[in-house]
């Protein structure tokens, strides 16, 4: 049961990452390269720490490679849906 909850959460987290990356791209679009680098680093750390904290709550932070695969699948799924529905 914990595995399924963790897999579903990872998939949804991948979708959330897609939206957050779109927002980050809009925020730092015209900034200088060092500002983009700093924002990207902070964003990556933030997303990683939040994921770890939530996984700590769900299943004592036992991480498996297939959780990360589900994050990537969630991201790719949302990218596919977003480009099909909203980008022309």
């Amino acid at each position: 049961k914990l595995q399924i909850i963790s897999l579903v959460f990872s998939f949804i987290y991948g979708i959330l990452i897609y939206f957050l990356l779109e927002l980050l791209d809009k925020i730092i679009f015209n900034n200088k390269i060092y500002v983009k680098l700093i924002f990207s680093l902070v964003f990556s750390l933030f997303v990683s720490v939040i994921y770890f904290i939530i996984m700590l709550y769900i299943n004592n932070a036992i991480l498996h490679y297939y959780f990360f695969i589900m994050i990537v699948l969630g991201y790719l799924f949302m990218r596919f849906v977003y480009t099909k529905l909203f980008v022309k």
Side-chain angles (χ1 to χ4, degrees):
K1 183 177 178 180
L2 285 176
Q3 294 289 338
I4 293 173
I5 293 170
S6 300
L7 287 170
V8 170
F9 168 72
S10 296
F11 185 81
I12 293 170
Y13 201 73
I15 292 171
L16 177 66
I17 288 174
Y18 179 81
F19 285 118
L20 291 175
L21 280 172
E22 287 292 317
L23 179 65
L24 180 68
D25 188 46
K26 290 181 185 352
I27 291 171
I28 65 172
F29 178 69
N30 288 327
N31 288 330
K32 298 186 188 276
I33 189 72
Y34 64 88
V35 174
K36 289 181 181 181
L37 182 65
I38 291 170
F39 269 99
S40 297
L41 180 64
V42 170
F43 173 78
S44 299
L45 289 172
F46 175 75
V47 167
S48 301
V49 168
I50 295 299
Y51 181 77
F52 186 76
I53 289 170
I54 295 172
M55 289 301 282
L56 184 64
Y57 176 75
I58 292 174
N59 69 354
N60 295 323
I62 300 172
L63 303 176
H64 297 282
Y65 67 92
Y66 43 85
F67 294 157
F68 299 110
I69 292 172
M70 289 303 289
I71 291 173
V72 171
L73 287 176
Y75 175 85
L76 293 175
F77 170 78
M78 197 61 227
R79 183 174 178 172
F80 175 77
V81 169
Y82 185 80
T83 55
K84 290 294 181 188
L85 293 179
F86 299 112
V87 177
K88 296 191 181 198

